[in-house]
Amino acid sequence: MPTVSPRPIILDVDTGVDDAWALVYALRSPALKVLGITTGYGNADVDTTTRNTLLLAELLGSEVPIYRGSAEPLFRAWSGPVPQIHGVNGLGDAPLPLVTRQTADSDAVQYIRDTIRANPGQVTLVTVARLTNVARALLYDPGLAAHIDRIICMGGAAFCPGNVTPTAEANIWGDPEAADLVFRSGIPLTMVGLDVTHQGRLYQRDLAQLDPALPYTELLRRATDFYIEAYIKEDPRNDGWCPLHDPLAVAVAEDPTLVRTERYPVRVEHTGVWTDGMTVVDARWGQTPTGVDVALDLDVDRFLALFRTRVGLL
Ligand code: RIB
Ligand code: CA
């Protein structure tokens, strides 16, 4: 049997409850080789998201280097954290142990640039946060785009409502100029947006099935309880679940066939009055030979089975 080598990825996060699950998934998957993790502002400020990322890595016993990244969007002021969704500490206000791990010396943008240049055409960027770090790497080294294998981006909403405004999803809305730059860069890009992430659900009852022997179980149970309660408050029809936004992007890096994609031109709105941060997916003339691979359907059963194995849900 031929063996398939693990896919080399850089994971860009704003840890955050669903980012925490994405980290657990990525660092435990034998099908992925996490070369490095880069952090940024978003669900909380960059110091907090970096601390949370270090904590998860430490609990997992991972030595993967972690690079602190952007503290604010490219051209705008940061709109601030979202404690009502991720807690003040970004992890649902669960009590956190002290972290002893440190960040790597280099900055996230330099790391992304150097790693891509050292491995041309080999590395996939999995972004589950604002696209500021990646946009800054492209501004710093405009030739870099040609050497990125693919970006798998948790972000955007193609044919469904947004989650910050009626038209915009948080990771795109949080820095639309950066997203515009990345979406126009010509880098092969899979958009794992709300159209599919809302199909992959983690229920409160699932949390009891997390293997009690794992070092992150107590933390993730508490953090996710908080996160699910936030979703219930937002939508009274929610019967006790949260979307698995960020883990789904990681799962798609492992197995792209989990989602059905269609290729369309996609532009990011950043001057609109009502549509700021909207991913404008132009499907009027049908699919195109170039453009963004927009994920529109998820094989829910296969994704959840894989997710459960990777994170240790018994
Ligand atoms: O819209 C969901 C995305 O925004 C997720 O990546 C979440 O962690 C936040 O960053
Ligand atoms: Ca995130």
Side-chain angles (χ1 to χ4, degrees):
M1 279 269 286
T3 50
V4 181
S5 325
R7 184 175 192 175
I9 67 166
I10 296 172
L11 181 59
D12 187 81
V13 295
D14 60 333
T15 314
V17 180
D18 58 328
D19 305 71
W21 285 99
L23 284 162
V24 170
Y25 185 125
L27 292 172
R28 283 170 50 101
S29 171
L32 297 171
K33 181 175 183 193
V34 184
L35 303 176
I37 299 168
T38 52
T39 65
Y41 70 95
N43 292 322
D45 66 75
V46 67
D47 289 337
T48 303
T49 65
T50 304
R51 188 271 318 273
N52 293 348
T53 308
L54 289 165
L55 171 60
L56 264 300
E58 188 163 311
L59 289 175
L60 285 153
S62 166
E63 297 296 324
V64 169
I66 295 166
Y67 299 84
R68 188 181 186 281
S70 305
E72 56 192 6
L74 280 187
F75 304 123
R76 306 181 174 208
W78 177 38
S79 57
V82 281
Q84 70 281 16
I85 300 173
H86 291 271
V88 173
N89 71 4
L91 289 172
D93 293 335
L96 306 181
L98 281 180
V99 184
T100 57
R101 269 206 59 173
Q102 306 276 319
T103 51
D105 285 341
S106 175
D107 135 281
V109 174
Q110 188 73 46
Y111 169 73
I112 291 172
R113 187 262 175 197
D114 292 349
T115 307
I116 301 292
R117 282 288 178 184
N119 303 276
Q122 303 298 307
V123 180
T124 295
L125 300 181
V126 182
T127 64
V128 298
R130 280 57 172 163
L131 285 157
T132 318
N133 288 335
V134 179
R136 284 177 56 210
L138 296 177
L139 288 169
Y140 170 52
D141 180 353
L144 197 65
H147 303 294
I148 297 173
D149 175 49
R150 177 167 286 272
I151 295 177
I152 298 178
C153 167
M154 190 285 121
F159 304 118
C160 66
N163 60 359
V164 183
T165 73
T167 56
E169 180 280 331
N171 285 340
I172 305 296
W173 178 86
D175 192 351
E177 284 83 6
D180 178 48
L181 200 148
V182 172
F183 274 61
R184 282 192 295 106
S185 65
I187 301 167
L189 192 148
T190 307
M191 180 174 124
V192 181
L194 301 180
D195 306 74
V196 281
T197 65
H198 277 252
Q199 296 174 37
R201 301 174 176 187
L202 182 66
Y203 279 85
Q204 267 162 335
R205 59 177 177 270
D206 295 325
L207 296 175
Q209 296 164 0
L210 199 53
D211 182 349
L214 292 166
Y216 50 82
T217 290
E218 185 58 21
L219 171 62
L220 282 196
R221 273 192 193 146
R222 289 204 186 204
T224 311
D225 259 334
F226 181 102
Y227 189 56
I228 292 176
E229 287 301 329
Y231 272 93
I232 295 170
K233 275 185 208 142
E234 264 185 18
D235 180 359
R237 292 166 304 177
N238 180 308
D239 59 347
W241 59 274
C242 63
L244 289 167
H245 298 295
D246 294 352
L248 178 57
V250 174
V252 169
E254 169 169 347
D255 181 355
T257 70
L258 290 173
V259 288
R260 183 185 66 81
T261 61
E262 294 184 4
R263 188 167 290 174
Y264 294 115
V266 179
R267 290 289 177 265
V268 177
E269 179 62 82
H270 56 89
T271 55
V273 175
W274 308 110
T275 54
D276 201 34
M278 178 179 181
T279 39
V280 182
V281 178
D282 197 343
R284 286 170 296 186
W285 279 19
Q287 294 193 56
T288 48
T290 58
V292 168
D293 295 309
V294 182
L296 294 177
D297 279 312
L298 171 66
D299 187 332
V300 175
D301 291 346
R302 220 151 51 79
F303 165 58
L304 289 179
L306 191 56
F307 172 78
R308 294 181 72 92
T309 308
R310 293 292 180 248
V311 302
L313 277 161
L314 300 171

